[in-house]
Amino acid sequence: MIMLESNNEKISIETIKQFENENEVKLTEKYKQFLLQWNGGYPSASTFKISDEKGNSVINVFNGFGDMYDNLEKVINIYEYRLPNGFIPIADDSAGNVICLGTNESYYENIYFWDHEQESENPDDMSNMYFLANDINQFLSMLHASLEE
């Protein structure tokens, strides 16, 4: 089981509901549970495989709520017109790429890797998006401690 190191204060379901209302987004139940348990932070195992072609990457931090650099609302504002519609940035890697949660019906609950070096001007272009997992729990179970497979 992956552990996260986090000094972030615990949040309530009311905080999440307020976030959903203000950002007009519906978070998945599994992701809500993740936020309630950890509220972002640094994973104990952080390496994951993007694809055979792209290789591996390393999670820098999971975004959370509160007075922190990696505040989910602030990060959403940064990527608002850069990510394809229906995705929110839930984490980033050490190279400035983003791990996204699908929030619209087509991709709901899925976790994707967004490669900023292949960013398109078209917000519907998903050529720089790589499917990682069906949900946050599956993604967390894929994380491992080193680049060794």
Side-chain angles (χ1 to χ4, degrees), residues 67-121:
D67 186 20
M68 62 184 85
Y69 175 78
D70 46 304
N71 177 286
L72 183 58
E73 292 184 270
K74 290 179 185 174
V75 176
I76 284 175
N77 289 336
I78 291 169
Y79 290 98
E80 183 175 7
Y81 298 107
R82 297 177 65 190
L83 295 178
N85 295 323
F87 289 94
I88 62 166
I90 62 169
D92 61 33
D93 76 355
S94 54
N97 302 299
V98 180
I99 291 71
C100 301
L101 172 70
T103 59
N104 73 2
E105 192 173 325
S106 302
Y107 305 102
Y108 194 71
E109 198 161 40
N110 296 160
I111 305 296
Y112 278 78
F113 177 86
W114 178 80
D115 186 338
H116 78 279
E117 292 177 4
Q118 298 174 341
E119 185 174 356
S120 171
E121 298 284 326

